[in-house]
Amino acid sequence: MARAALSADAVVDVALRLVDEEGSTALTLAAVASRAGVATPSLYKHVRNLAELRALLSVRILDELNDEISGAVQGRSADDAIRALLTTWRNYVLTHPHRYSALDQSPQPQVEQAGERLVNIMLAALRAYDLEDSAAIHAARCLRAVAHGFAVLEIDQGFQLPEKLNESYDLMIHMVITGLRTPAPKTVGPVE
């Protein structure tokens, strides 16, 4: 990459390629600078530090995930929308395991807007279930936990038994959809 072409977006592009090829632990400013063909101090014109680069990377990853999920659920409702959402989320993680593992899950100001977009997509997919206010938020959290948890366990090879993972995921989607159709139980507190 020529020095003149360097910008914050270009730095994120280089960081994404680095993460895709070497994993999220390889992400350092020195590694990005080396791949960009510049000295590390040259990056500071475009990103303040590694934390900002991670935040920009997370925004890019969430934007990609949002675009894929939004496209998958568009024109669908209820069970079909939930199935598309969960399937697309898992597929994204399986297609981009290193990229997804680089996603910063902690609340960062730069990442909040992209995160809110994902929540809004989930809330729209849940609209057909007549969930209101906090019930919809609880359901969106469950969707996130299901998609994220299963996919991360899968890429980390956390499932060792011989049963087919696609069958397990389909069962989980069925369980989620069944749960969405069933009145929610009373709120329970933390387990003591």
Side-chain angles (χ1 to χ4, degrees):
M1 173 180 300
R3 178 181 282 238
L6 205 57
S7 66
D9 282 341
V11 171
V12 173
D13 290 341
V14 172
L16 279 173
R17 285 192 299 277
L18 173 69
V19 165
D20 284 342
E21 292 170 16
E22 297 183 33
S24 61
T25 58
L27 182 63
T28 65
L29 290 177
V32 171
S34 175
R35 282 186 173 233
V38 299
T40 303
S42 297
L43 293 182
Y44 294 115
K45 296 174 187 171
H46 310 288
V47 295
R48 284 190 310 262
N49 50 36
L50 184 58
E52 183 180 46
L53 178 57
R54 288 186 189 281
L56 293 171
L57 192 69
S58 293
V59 168
R60 179 79 65 85
I61 294 164
L62 280 171
D63 284 346
E64 289 175 354
L65 182 61
N66 285 333
D67 289 346
E68 289 193 23
I69 291 173
S70 180
V73 300
Q74 188 172 13
R76 298 173 190 265
S77 67
D79 299 356
D80 288 339
I82 298 303
R83 190 173 289 106
L85 185 151
L86 293 173
T87 300
T88 302
W89 196 319
R90 177 182 177 222
N91 288 343
Y92 181 87
V93 177
L94 296 179
T95 303
H96 307 288
H98 295 308
R99 187 175 292 201
Y100 190 79
S101 70
L103 180 59
D104 187 356
Q105 299 289 339
S106 66
Q108 292 279 338
Q110 298 114 311
V111 182
E112 283 183 12
Q113 189 174 13
E116 287 173 13
R117 183 174 168 220
L118 182 55
V119 170
N120 289 333
I121 293 168
M122 288 187 283
L123 292 174
L126 290 164
R127 207 170 281 134
Y129 298 97
D130 294 324
L131 300 171
E132 303 206 8
D133 304 321
S134 64
I137 297 298
H138 292 309
R141 286 177 178 166
C142 291
L143 291 177
R144 178 181 179 212
V146 163
H148 172 80
F150 192 98
V152 169
L153 282 168
E154 187 172 359
I155 63 173
D156 288 345
Q157 299 180 347
F159 298 119
Q160 296 299 313
L161 297 176
E163 284 72 19
K164 294 180 179 167
L165 292 176
N166 288 341
E167 291 177 14
S168 296
Y169 201 69
D170 288 343
L171 174 61
M172 189 169 64
I173 291 171
H174 171 75
M175 293 168 74
V176 167
I177 289 170
T178 300
L180 289 169
R181 292 185 197 150
T182 306
K186 299 287 184 209
T187 304
V188 296
V191 176
E192 294 182 22

